Amino acid sequence: MNIYDVSKKAGVSIATVSRVLNGNNNVSEKTRQRVLSVMDELGYTPNVFARGLGLNTMKTIGIMCTDSSDVYLANAVYYLEQELRANDYDSILCCTGTRNSTKKKYMELLISKRVDGIILVGSKFLDTHMEENAYIIDAAKSLPIMLVNCHLDGENIYSAQCDDETAVFSVTDSLIKSGRNKIVYLYTSTSQSGLKKLSGYEKALDLNHIPARTEFMQLCHKDILRAKEYLNSLHARGISFDAVVTSDDSLAVGALKFAYENHIRVPDELNIVGYNDSILARCTEPELTSIDSKVEALCSTTVNTLMGVFAEKHVPSKTLIQAELIVRGTTRL
Amino acid sequence: MNIYDVSKKAGVSIATVSRVLNGNNNVSEKTRQRVLSVMDELGYTPNVFARGLGLNTMKTIGIMCTDSSDVYLANAVYYLEQELRANDYDSILCCTGTRNSTKKKYMELLISKRVDGIILVGSKFLDTHMEENAYIIDAAKSLPIMLVNCHLDGENIYSAQCDDETAVFSVTDSLIKSGRNKIVYLYTSTSQSGLKKLSGYEKALDLNHIPARTEFMQLCHKDILRAKEYLNSLHARGISFDAVVTSDDSLAVGALKFAYENHIRVPDELNIVGYNDSILARCTEPELTSIDSKVEALCSTTVNTLMGVFAEKHVPSKTLIQAELIVRGTTRL
């Protein structure tokens, strides 16, 4: 017995039943009486514990992301919302920023709102200090925690990740096999996923017996200008390089700007590889070769797994999805 | 008397109180007994009408947007969430797509969830056929409706808009005054805001006694390639032009790609103006002159107005915010 049955039987919209329940005045007295008598007849009483007015669940999932205006995270939020909606779930969005104390506060807040599950988007939710992740393990005691593109071992924690390490390994290895051997790696963060990408770069060098050079690995955040200026500084110091691999398209845009300023021909003299295959990759001239990190597949897997958890099915606690290299004009591979 | 008082008095987190209320097993029997006895002592009973467990409101706002992965809308959703959060409100996000029937369904759904207000983001929620907007006027009978960058007259409907018409008028007029007189206008949609921008373009031509040419006004949606190909088709037909004004940065990117392909120098031979001053404007070479449509200000105004409505203050039903031209390398103004 729920609000939908009342609405159907009374021949009014759910919104009208809701208005009657809320004592809202925008309902005619006649309609109000009809709705109330149907409630009586059906023996309907709003659930005192209030899980969504007579339903046994809020049918609401909390989505936490550090910054929903980030191009990658905005896409993830979009796909998650669509998938959840297709399963009749609402999503409450929380943009947490990157401070641990704020993330914990929002997690607590969402739990107090009694959402049915929480999805953490992006690997910026995991700290390299494991004790800082205790709040996630703790939250998983109350409800399922879904991680999009990061992984944490723990009961009731599920993850879907892109195989970022293999993706960066493969493209770096391909660049080496095609004759490049002075490859700069620019990265956006030292998150779990960020470190895997970096490790993929280092492994490819190692496998090909090319020593890793510290000046060839640089943290630039998602900052186009910082990427450009770092490459300018290498160039000014007479340090030459023939390829730039990045962990985000924004840094590849910066690399292209460096090449433009210094009249370096791309891809003849310099190969550039972006990551995430975002709209930025199609804005530049030439367009960016970029790694498609399969955000849509990660999000649909996450929601499918969550629905499996709710249905008490057996679901994998960890899913790994392969990235795909999209070759455009900034490489000759 | 609410859940916070219970949590404080019992010396446990809100999440724990919530778990006890939900009959969740992840609470020790000792804690459960303490929470229940505090509830008894304080005479706490969960509100049967369930507005957020003993609070008188859900403190939740519905945000509807057609596509949260769109760069402009993603920024708006981000700023709205941040502003709402700062006012202790949650937001439930709905990505509706562009079909009217789906928009109506989501509006109904949000009302049935008893949100405290609904924010519609972008002018794609208004139809040129006024009868198609009746669902918005109808919804406003139950709760405040906030429109971000569109306007609809009606009780309990509030709007914050960028003065898009003046923005396009001014930049077109400046281009004419700087010597351009064959100005193409590429636009993304015929939404309310879209039509205002187009009208700004036409007014600037009219004021300067330049006849409007139908082949100089073209709908391209947010499609980089379509913009490029349309300009290619004009060029192939020998129709020359010396400036391209657009309603979105993506179309300005397309115009720049057209210039690159045809070896036309920007800005010497062709001036290009984007709109929204998004990250795309900083990806191209040269970077795009673009109109900053002040999405952050629109969003903070929207949330401030909504909070004013809740506080029963006098608030303006319509706010107009001026855009700002950001001059970069694609124009000589």
Side-chain angles (χ1 to χ4, degrees):
Chain A
M1 191 62 49
N2 64 39
I3 192 171
Y4 298 95
D5 303 318
V6 174
S7 133
K8 209 168 144 190
K9 177 103 182 170
V12 300
S13 71
I14 290 163
T16 301
V17 178
S18 177
R19 267 178 236 138
V20 171
L21 286 170
N22 295 328
N24 183 313
N25 289 328
N26 282 307
V27 183
S28 74
E29 186 53 27
K30 200 177 140 203
T31 303
R32 206 177 72 86
Q33 287 303 334
R34 185 164 73 248
V35 170
L36 289 173
S37 80
V38 166
M39 283 183 189
D40 246 24
E41 194 184 330
L42 297 178
Y44 171 79
T45 40
N47 183 327
V48 290
F49 290 145
R51 291 207 138 212
L53 261 188
L55 299 167
N56 283 322
T57 153
M58 294 289 281
K59 296 211 90 172
T60 302
I61 305 300
I63 298 178
M64 290 170 63
C65 74
T66 50
D67 173 2
S68 67
S69 70
D70 172 87
V71 176
Y72 175 82
L73 297 176
N75 272 305
V77 168
Y78 172 77
Y79 291 125
L80 289 170
E81 197 278 342
Q82 295 279 294
E83 291 284 341
L84 289 169
R85 183 76 53 202
N87 287 282
D88 286 326
Y89 277 77
D90 290 330
S91 50
I92 293 185
L93 179 66
C94 287
C95 305
T96 63
T98 53
R99 285 174 55 198
N100 279 335
S101 58
T102 319
K103 292 173 193 168
K104 287 173 196 172
K105 199 188 79 185
Y106 285 140
M107 180 75 94
E108 182 90 343
L109 185 78
L110 282 172
I111 293 171
S112 79
K113 302 277 177 191
R114 295 170 315 125
V115 294
D116 301 293
I118 294 178
I119 302 174
L120 306 184
V121 190
S123 69
K124 290 208 173 160
F125 282 99
L126 288 195
D127 202 286
T128 42
H129 301 94
M130 274 305 291
E131 67 274 19
E132 290 293 322
N133 300 323
Y135 78 105
I136 298 175
I137 291 166
D138 199 47
K141 290 173 187 162
S142 310
L143 36 65
I145 301 289
M146 315 302 293
L147 305 178
V148 178
N149 217 28
C150 60
H151 179 77
L152 181 66
D153 279 318
E155 188 98 29
N156 213 19
I157 300 176
Y158 304 86
S159 66
Q161 291 174 280
C162 175
D163 188 353
D164 293 315
E165 181 168 343
T166 301
V168 175
F169 171 86
S170 298
V171 78
T172 307
D173 189 58
S174 298
L175 286 167
I176 295 167
K177 300 234 180 326
S178 75
R180 316 277 151 180
N181 58 18
K182 288 172 284 179
I183 303 174
V184 173
Y185 182 68
L186 303 180
Y187 56 105
T188 44
S189 98
T190 53
S191 69
Q192 192 184 61
S193 144
L195 292 175
K196 285 197 176 173
K197 292 175 188 170
L198 182 57
S199 157
Y201 165 77
E202 292 177 310
K203 282 187 182 172
L205 295 188
D206 192 49
L207 188 81
N208 290 281
H209 312 295
I210 298 174
R213 297 166 61 173
T214 53
E215 71 272 27
F216 274 8
M217 292 175 269
Q218 181 65 27
L219 177 66
C220 298
H221 305 283
K222 285 205 181 181
D223 189 332
I224 296 173
L225 281 187
R226 200 183 286 211
K228 184 185 82 170
E229 281 159 15
Y230 184 73
L231 296 177
N232 267 329
S233 77
L234 288 181
H235 191 66
R237 285 152 62 200
I239 300 171
S240 73
F241 46 93
D242 50 23
V244 180
V245 174
T246 67
S247 72
D248 188 75
D249 287 335
S250 55
L251 301 186
V253 168
L256 205 50
K257 287 187 174 288
F258 154 79
Y260 182 84
E261 269 187 23
N262 293 281
H263 310 289
I264 292 167
R265 282 171 297 130
V266 174
D268 295 343
E269 298 174 281
L270 184 67
N271 276 217
I272 299 171
V273 179
Y275 208 102
N276 287 331
D277 193 30
S278 67
I279 188 169
L280 306 196
R282 280 161 284 137
C283 285
T284 59
E285 203 61 62
E287 297 182 357
L288 299 177
T289 292
S290 185
I291 292 164
D292 176 355
S293 51
K294 302 289 176 188
V295 62
E296 184 171 5
L298 291 182
C299 292
S300 64
T301 300
T302 298
V303 173
N304 285 340
T305 304
L306 182 58
M307 295 305 134
V309 172
F310 290 153
E312 298 181 2
K313 288 183 188 159
H314 180 75
V315 291
S317 62
K318 186 174 181 172
T319 309
L320 202 62
I321 291 173
Q322 293 307 309
E324 184 185 356
L325 183 69
I326 310 294
V327 177
R328 297 199 186 83
T330 56
T331 52
R332 192 151 289 160
L333 284 174
Chain B
M1 191 61 50
N2 63 37
I3 191 171
Y4 299 95
D5 303 316
V6 174
S7 133
K8 208 167 145 191
K9 177 101 180 174
V12 299
S13 69
I14 290 163
T16 302
V17 178
S18 177
R19 265 177 239 140
V20 171
L21 285 169
N22 296 327
N24 183 314
N25 289 328
N26 283 306
V27 182
S28 74
E29 187 52 30
K30 201 179 138 198
T31 304
R32 206 177 74 84
Q33 287 303 334
R34 185 162 76 247
V35 170
L36 289 173
S37 81
V38 166
M39 283 183 188
D40 245 23
E41 194 184 328
L42 295 177
Y44 171 81
T45 41
N47 183 325
V48 288
F49 289 145
R51 292 207 138 214
L53 260 189
L55 298 166
N56 283 322
T57 154
M58 293 289 282
K59 298 212 86 172
T60 302
I61 306 299
I63 298 179
M64 289 169 64
C65 74
T66 48
D67 174 2
S68 68
S69 70
D70 172 88
V71 175
Y72 174 83
L73 296 176
N75 272 304
V77 167
Y78 173 77
Y79 291 126
L80 288 170
E81 196 277 345
Q82 295 280 293
E83 291 284 341
L84 289 169
R85 184 76 54 201
N87 286 282
D88 286 324
Y89 276 77
D90 289 330
S91 49
I92 293 185
L93 178 66
C94 288
C95 305
T96 63
T98 53
R99 285 174 55 196
N100 279 335
S101 58
T102 319
K103 292 173 192 167
K104 285 172 196 173
K105 198 188 80 182
Y106 284 141
M107 181 76 93
E108 182 91 342
L109 184 78
L110 283 172
I111 293 171
S112 80
K113 302 277 177 190
R114 296 173 312 126
V115 295
D116 301 294
I118 294 177
I119 302 176
L120 305 185
V121 190
S123 68
K124 291 211 172 156
F125 282 100
L126 289 195
D127 201 287
T128 42
H129 299 94
M130 272 307 288
E131 68 275 19
E132 289 293 325
N133 300 323
Y135 79 105
I136 299 175
I137 290 166
D138 198 48
K141 290 174 186 162
S142 311
L143 37 64
I145 302 288
M146 316 303 293
L147 304 178
V148 177
N149 216 29
C150 59
H151 179 75
L152 180 68
D153 279 318
E155 189 97 29
N156 214 19
I157 300 176
Y158 304 86
S159 67
Q161 291 173 281
C162 175
D163 189 353
D164 293 315
E165 180 168 343
T166 301
V168 175
F169 171 85
S170 298
V171 78
T172 307
D173 189 58
S174 297
L175 286 167
I176 296 168
K177 300 235 179 326
S178 76
R180 316 278 153 179
N181 58 18
K182 287 172 287 180
I183 304 174
V184 172
Y185 182 67
L186 303 180
Y187 56 104
T188 44
S189 97
T190 52
S191 69
Q192 191 183 62
S193 147
L195 292 174
K196 285 198 173 170
K197 292 174 188 170
L198 181 58
S199 157
Y201 165 76
E202 292 177 308
K203 282 188 181 170
L205 295 188
D206 192 51
L207 188 82
N208 289 282
H209 312 295
I210 298 174
R213 297 167 59 174
T214 52
E215 71 272 27
F216 275 8
M217 293 176 268
Q218 180 65 27
L219 177 65
C220 299
H221 304 283
K222 285 205 182 182
D223 189 332
I224 296 174
L225 280 187
R226 199 184 286 212
K228 185 185 81 171
E229 280 160 15
Y230 184 73
L231 297 177
N232 266 331
S233 77
L234 288 181
H235 191 65
R237 284 150 63 198
I239 300 171
S240 72
F241 45 93
D242 50 22
V244 180
V245 175
T246 68
S247 72
D248 188 75
D249 286 336
S250 55
L251 301 186
V253 167
L256 205 50
K257 286 186 174 288
F258 154 78
Y260 181 84
E261 270 188 21
N262 293 281
H263 309 289
I264 292 167
R265 280 170 298 129
V266 174
D268 295 342
E269 298 174 279
L270 185 67
N271 276 216
I272 298 171
V273 180
Y275 208 102
N276 287 333
D277 193 30
S278 67
I279 187 169
L280 307 195
R282 279 160 285 135
C283 285
T284 59
E285 202 62 61
E287 296 182 0
L288 300 177
T289 291
S290 185
I291 292 166
D292 177 356
S293 51
K294 302 289 179 190
V295 62
E296 185 171 4
L298 291 182
C299 293
S300 63
T301 300
T302 298
V303 173
N304 285 340
T305 303
L306 183 58
M307 295 303 134
V309 171
F310 291 151
E312 298 180 3
K313 287 184 188 159
H314 179 74
V315 291
S317 63
K318 185 174 180 170
T319 309
L320 202 62
I321 291 174
Q322 293 307 308
E324 183 185 356
L325 183 69
I326 309 295
V327 178
R328 297 200 185 84
T330 56
T331 53
R332 193 150 288 158
L333 285 173

